Amino acid sequence: MATPSRMQRVPRIRESKSVEAAQLSKREWQILARLGEGDSYKEIAGRLGISVQTVNDHIKSLYRKLDVHSRAHAVNCYQKWIASGGAAKRVFNGALA
């Protein structure tokens, strides 16, 4: 009789905070929007007139507030928020944020 194969462990996806509940700063909203558009840290820095290190600091802060650990997860939270109509609530300097 064949032994049953081990079940592969499937990682659990934990729910992060909603984008609205995260209470992001204006700059964090702007950076999250640029991440959602696919911009690199360098492109975000140039567009917003800040250093790449400052972008990195803001990203660390928004990851903590959103309770995520990757760019992909943060962007996914943002895209869900956009799809739910949240984007109409926030516009800063002509950029979604």
Side-chain angles (χ1 to χ4, degrees), residues 24-71:
L24 302 178
S25 70
K26 177 181 175 178
R27 187 61 95 188
E28 289 165 345
W29 279 107
Q30 291 171 329
I31 290 171
L32 182 57
R34 301 296 355 136
L35 286 175
E37 293 297 317
D39 289 2
S40 69
Y41 288 15
K42 186 175 179 178
E43 290 169 329
I44 294 168
R47 190 179 292 255
L48 299 179
I50 58 179
S51 74
V52 174
Q53 182 58 51
T54 301
V55 170
N56 193 44
D57 292 342
H58 283 299
I59 288 173
K60 286 179 187 176
S61 177
L62 73 88
Y63 281 11
R64 182 180 40 77
K65 289 178 181 180
L66 289 172
D67 193 25
V68 299
H69 299 284
S70 70
R71 177 185 184 131

Side-chain angles (χ1 to χ4, degrees), residues 67-82:
D67 193 25
V68 299
H69 299 284
S70 70
R71 177 185 184 131
H73 198 175
V75 169
N76 183 266
C77 290
Y78 181 71
Q79 289 171 339
K80 284 181 184 178
W81 181 73
I82 294 285

